[in-house]
Amino acid sequence: MAIQVQYYLLLSAAMFCIGLFGILTRRNALLFLMSVELMLNAANVNLVAFSFQYGNITGQVFSLFTMALAAAEVAVGIGIILVLYRNFKDVDVTKAATMRW
Amino acid sequence: MATTLPTWTALGPALLLGITALVLLIVDSIDPDTSNSTLLAGLSTVGSLAAFLFAGWLLVSGTGQPQTGGAITLFDDQLVVDGMSLFFALIVTSVATLVTVASHDYIADQPYQAEYYSLVMMAATGMTLMGSANSLATGFVSLELASLPSYALVTFLKKNRGSVEAGLKYFLIGALSSAVLAYGISLVYAASGHLQFDAVASAVANTEFVGVLGIGVLFVLGGFAFKTASVPFHFWAPEAYEGAPAPISAFLSSASKAAGFVLAFRVFTTAFPELAGLAGGPVTVDWVLAVEVLAVLTMFVGNFAAATQEKVKRMLAYSSVGHAGYVLIGLAALGGAPDKGFVLGASMMHLFIYGFMNTGAFLFIGLTEYWDIGRTFQDFNGLAKQAPLASVAMTVFLFSLAGLPIGGGFFSKFYLLAATAQSGTWILGAALIINSALSLFYYTRVVKAMWIEEPVNDFEIDSYPAGIYTAVIVAAVITFLLLPAFGLLSPSAVTGAAALF
């Protein structure tokens, strides 16, 4: 095997952290969604890499499920962001704060 | 049994709920503008009631339980039907039935009713399947099947800013936590090479990636903390429950929480028992300790926050966080307990009774929203004069939630206390007692407002919606009946839980 498996873990951890950073700092709901996608893809990197490592396809199949779910989640999310825009005239997630935290 | 049904019928409750969801969609596609809410609510009630009765029949006839040959596994061990999954199917379907009955009046004036009921049924399907998941893959997919309709349902009142805000917060935190869960699952897979629980359990026993596995287990725990509204992923709960339509708040805080717990129970007791030394081996990843910390934190955060609220619905939302802490005792007290089935069974019983008393309490809030009498404690002043029957029901719910011997909540808390005593985790027992005493304070505020205070605003209640009333009163009667009938159900919970060890 050319690339050692630890490097995949590093790559996925980096992707996960970039996504998490985006979620914590971005105020635009669409960028928030993209950051979540990045985090889900970090999981996919792990799954595919270790699927190769162990020689079973469980991880690859599960990564397909993850992608499908990510798409479904975005579909619901875009719908919610649309009604957010209609009600608050903005997609800034911090604007929707009529209830006390 | 003389005649044996094919094994796939063990999934009957989930299948019935799924079919009901599809039938509702067909009705909607035949007549897209239908506002015949009696037909739609009736269909979904019949569907969920049928699923409830079927799950009850399977449980009573011993399907998937030791006396009939043990758990039934389906689809190459990806799904399992046993005492615990049927018990939770019972919880989910009973809550779904109450919610659909109450929704009949609550959303009578709203458009898109068929979609509403269909989404409720789909979410219930996902929650029922979560109880049967026997692999991290099916667990994750069914968790998302429960989550995605829930996001849409919380946002159902599209022109209500509170509902939209609640849905947004629920969705954002839900998307984040599902990403965390997926990453945790990928790390567990990285350390073990499997997703099926038993295979994970045997593979992690001698893994070389203990660090990776530890982080994975913690992330998976975090993902479940979201679904069960436990610390540290609890802060969506008060927002989502306050802004959502009240029947949906009831659905999420009871059924969704129970489904999150059953998946957590199964993952941690069948896939990761070795890590915490539950099977007698060395402790590598001590998740029991982590859950213990989370349980204590969740109890205190939930109850102290509930005590400071001004709005009744928000108070109930925080109390629901506190109850997640009580239920976590079932995992947290596993460490030193000689009878692990009893510890987990106590949590299952608490979730079952909680399913009725908490659903009922939120549906009562739905009733007050229907009357539009306001949301704060003062707005409830003198309500008992206008609606004595509903107020009696609410009193039963609240005192049962607090753990007074007026409903089944007394015995389930007593069992949880006995479980902590058995395992010697005195800190959990102390937290349970302190928080129950505290919760009595804020539950009593509502009861006092309803029965003793004089009304501040003049309000006339001119209509008594039959659907919500029926649901509230049925829930109250069952909550009360579970006090004498507790002993009938607890053995099935305890044996269902014991089968996991």
Side-chain angles (χ1 to χ4, degrees), chain A residues 17-86:
Chain A
C17 292
I18 294 169
L20 192 62
F21 179 78
I23 284 173
L24 295 176
T25 54
R26 297 294 174 184
R27 300 168 62 150
N28 187 317
L30 291 168
L31 286 172
F32 193 104
L33 272 186
M34 291 177 200
S35 305
V36 169
E37 289 295 298
L38 205 55
M39 289 171 75
L40 281 168
N41 281 328
N44 286 343
V45 168
N46 268 347
L47 288 167
V48 174
F50 280 90
S51 182
F52 187 53
Q53 163 89 355
Y54 287 112
N56 66 27
I57 56 162
T58 314
Q60 290 197 28
V61 173
F62 185 57
S63 71
L64 290 176
F65 279 115
T66 318
M67 281 185 236
L69 282 171
E73 200 163 71
V74 167
V76 175
I78 296 279
I80 291 175
I81 292 171
L82 203 63
V83 285
L84 175 79
Y85 183 75
R86 284 191 190 149

Side-chain angles (χ1 to χ4, degrees), chain B residues 32-308:
Chain B
D33 300 320
T34 184
S35 55
N36 187 350
S37 64
T38 310
L39 170 71
L40 297 169
L43 268 177
S44 37
T45 306
V46 167
S48 45
L49 202 58
F52 173 78
L53 293 175
F54 196 58
W57 177 71
L58 288 174
L59 191 64
V60 170
S61 64
T63 310
Q65 288 160 68
Q67 69 266 31
T68 56
I72 297 173
T73 55
L74 296 136
F75 302 110
D76 205 12
D77 287 357
Q78 296 297 303
L79 290 175
V80 63
V81 178
D82 59 5
M84 190 164 85
S85 73
L86 291 172
F87 190 83
F88 278 88
L90 218 53
I91 300 179
V92 170
T93 49
S94 59
V95 173
T97 310
L98 291 174
V99 165
T100 48
V101 170
S103 300
H104 174 253
D105 300 315
Y106 191 88
I107 63 156
D109 307 328
Q110 301 287 337
Y112 308 116
Q113 289 187 17
E115 286 86 344
Y116 174 93
Y117 289 111
S118 185
L119 287 170
V120 170
M121 288 297 115
M122 280 181 207
T125 313
M127 291 168 195
T128 311
L129 279 176
M130 277 164 83
S132 292
N134 199 29
S135 133
L136 288 167
T138 45
F140 185 67
V141 172
S142 50
L143 186 140
E144 291 293 314
L145 178 58
S147 292
L148 294 176
S150 308
Y151 303 144
L153 284 170
V154 171
T155 330
F156 183 70
L157 307 171
K158 289 200 292 184
K159 297 199 168 91
N160 178 324
R161 291 177 75 144
S163 175
V164 171
E165 182 186 337
L168 176 78
K169 285 174 178 168
Y170 187 32
F171 170 72
L172 292 181
I173 298 168
L176 171 64
S177 76
S178 75
V180 169
L181 178 62
Y183 194 67
I185 290 173
S186 80
L187 290 180
V188 171
Y189 178 71
S192 66
H194 294 280
L195 291 171
Q196 204 272 331
F197 292 158
D198 301 310
V200 170
S202 50
V204 294
N206 43 17
T207 181
E208 47 186 318
F209 303 110
V210 177
V212 171
L213 181 65
I215 299 172
V217 170
L218 282 185
F219 278 25
V220 169
L221 183 61
F224 293 146
F226 160 75
K227 204 69 200 153
T228 59
S230 314
V231 173
F233 284 112
H234 68 286
F235 35 81
W236 59 272
E239 313 290 328
Y241 296 168
E242 189 188 343
I248 298 306
S249 311
F251 191 52
L252 291 184
S253 61
S254 309
S256 183
K257 189 187 292 280
F261 271 115
V262 63
L263 192 54
F265 289 165
R266 205 182 283 281
V267 169
F268 282 96
T269 56
T270 58
F272 305 138
E274 294 285 341
L275 302 178
L278 287 188
V283 178
T284 44
V285 181
D286 196 356
W287 56 261
V288 169
L289 183 68
V291 175
E292 203 173 319
V293 173
L294 286 188
V296 173
L297 278 178
T298 308
M299 280 188 242
F300 275 101
V301 167
N303 283 296
F304 274 84
T308 59

